[in-house]
Amino acid sequence: MIFTLILLFMIAIYTCQSLACSRFGKYYPGDPAKTSSVFSVLYGGVCMVFTLVFTACTGGFPLTISLPTVLFGLANGIVLTTYNQFLLKSSAMGPYSIVMIFMLSGGLLIPVLWSVIAEGNALNTLQWIAIVLTLVAFLILNMPKKGEKATLPFILSCTVLGIANGVYGILMNSQQAMTANTENAGMIVFTFGTSAVLSFLLLLLPAKQEKFAPGKAVRSSFTFNKACIAWGLGSALSASVAVNILMWILSKVNVAVVYAITNGGVLLVSVLISLLFLGEKCTLTKAVGILLSTAAIVILSI
């Protein structure tokens, strides 16, 4: 029961993080093409500092960091940077509903299949049914509207996004399993620190037909207003809490259950918020998707 409550708490945090992230993009006054990189620098830096402070306050200093944790963290930092860049790119190329299908499905299916095939973690029949229900709910709740088209480059971009989301989960889970849950802070620090550094370097790259001027690029990119800062810090702090909980709970609960509940739960709560507070209509399709997603979470919580 306690683990179910923790997962539900994670759903709430991740939902807040997603909402705050979207608000950051809305209020960011700089070049829209640089929004993802600027956010990733802020996001990565705050997650890294938060984890270090939290670890120090809980008696975890000095950090224990082995070579595998460094390598896993560096690799996952590259994956996280890829995810952030392709999320922005895909969202600009086509319907966000399709982006969500690829992103959530990749974040669920890839870690689950890896856990079952590569790590030998078996799932019972009810858990498989719940995962299928979750995937069907993803499709139903994100069905594109009439007239929305998906080009091949858009589908390829969404595919990379989904794979990156899934690989991120695999690396997080594999690292904590390899180190017996003793180097979680080090993994988070290297993952988000690497992402922040790579995103900062991307900001220095000049656009087409522009000269290389790193000083000008930094000054023009890191221009904020109060709303932008507030939403950015809110998103980063929410993610900081969530990722620290995620690393701990991966050693306590089957990875398939963790990713199915968190991915499905975030989508469910986001849809409910849109219906209750943003004026969207509850169609029969959405009602069916909500019921399927709820049923999946209940089954996985048993």
Side-chain angles (χ1 to χ4, degrees):
M1 182 63 181
I2 184 65
F3 293 128
T4 300
L5 293 176
I6 292 173
L7 287 171
L8 292 177
F9 178 61
M10 285 179 61
I11 289 171
I13 296 174
Y14 274 127
T15 303
C16 292
Q17 187 261 330
S18 298
L19 174 62
C21 179
S22 66
R23 297 295 90 185
F24 175 87
K26 178 180 179 180
Y27 289 106
Y28 175 63
D31 183 356
K34 296 182 178 181
T35 303
S36 179
S37 294
V38 172
F39 177 76
S40 294
V41 173
L42 174 65
Y43 175 83
V46 170
C47 284
M48 183 174 63
V49 172
F50 176 92
T51 300
L52 290 172
V53 172
F54 176 76
T55 304
C57 292
T58 54
F61 256 66
L63 292 180
T64 302
I65 303 177
S66 62
L67 180 59
T69 294
V70 173
L71 296 177
F72 271 107
L74 292 174
N76 220 18
I78 295 172
V79 171
L80 181 58
T81 304
T82 302
Y83 170 85
N84 288 332
Q85 294 296 322
F86 274 87
L87 177 59
L88 178 68
K89 181 179 179 180
S90 301
S91 300
M93 293 173 67
Y96 190 68
S97 57
I98 297 178
V99 175
M100 286 289 287
I101 290 173
F102 277 84
M103 180 179 69
L104 294 173
S105 298
L108 170 59
L109 271 180
I110 294 175
V112 167
L113 293 177
W114 178 267
S115 174
V116 172
I117 297 172
E119 298 178 351
N121 297 320
L123 299 176
N124 61 41
T125 303
L126 278 179
Q127 289 173 328
W128 279 116
I129 291 174
I131 289 171
V132 172
L133 289 178
T134 302
L135 291 171
V136 173
F138 287 170
L139 293 172
I140 291 176
L141 291 172
N142 292 292
M143 289 182 67
K145 299 176 182 178
K146 290 183 179 180
E148 290 183 330
K149 297 181 180 180
T151 63
L152 180 59
F154 171 62
I155 294 298
L156 292 176
S157 180
C158 289
T159 300
V160 174
L161 174 66
I163 292 173
N165 197 21
V167 172
Y168 173 86
I170 288 175
L171 292 175
M172 281 296 199
N173 183 59
S174 298
Q175 183 276 337
Q176 69 82 26
M178 180 177 292
T179 59
N181 208 39
T182 60
E183 300 182 18
N184 293 349
M187 178 64 175
I188 295 171
V189 167
F190 271 93
T191 294
F192 287 89
T194 300
S195 176
V197 171
L198 289 177
S199 298
F200 181 79
L201 293 177
L202 288 174
L203 289 172
L204 302 182
L205 296 177
K208 291 182 179 180
Q209 299 179 346
E210 286 187 2
K211 294 182 179 180
F212 180 63
K216 180 180 178 181
V218 171
R219 288 193 298 272
S220 63
S221 298
F222 291 95
T223 303
F224 305 108
N225 52 43
K226 291 182 180 179
C228 176
I229 293 174
W231 287 114
L233 288 176
S235 180
L237 288 171
S238 298
S240 301
V241 174
V243 74
N244 276 275
I245 296 175
L246 172 66
M247 290 299 289
W248 174 79
I249 204 169
L250 281 173
S251 65
K252 311 295 182 182
V253 181
N254 189 305
V255 63
V257 174
V258 172
Y259 286 113
I261 289 181
T262 52
N263 281 283
V266 169
L267 176 61
L268 174 61
V269 174
S270 298
V271 171
L272 290 175
I273 289 175
S274 68
L275 295 176
L276 295 173
F277 302 107
L278 301 181
E280 289 195 19
K281 295 181 179 180
C282 184
T283 63
L284 177 60
T285 300
K286 285 186 178 180
V288 172
I290 290 171
L291 289 174
L292 289 176
S293 187
T294 303
I297 291 174
V298 171
I299 292 171
L300 290 168
S301 301
I302 297 175

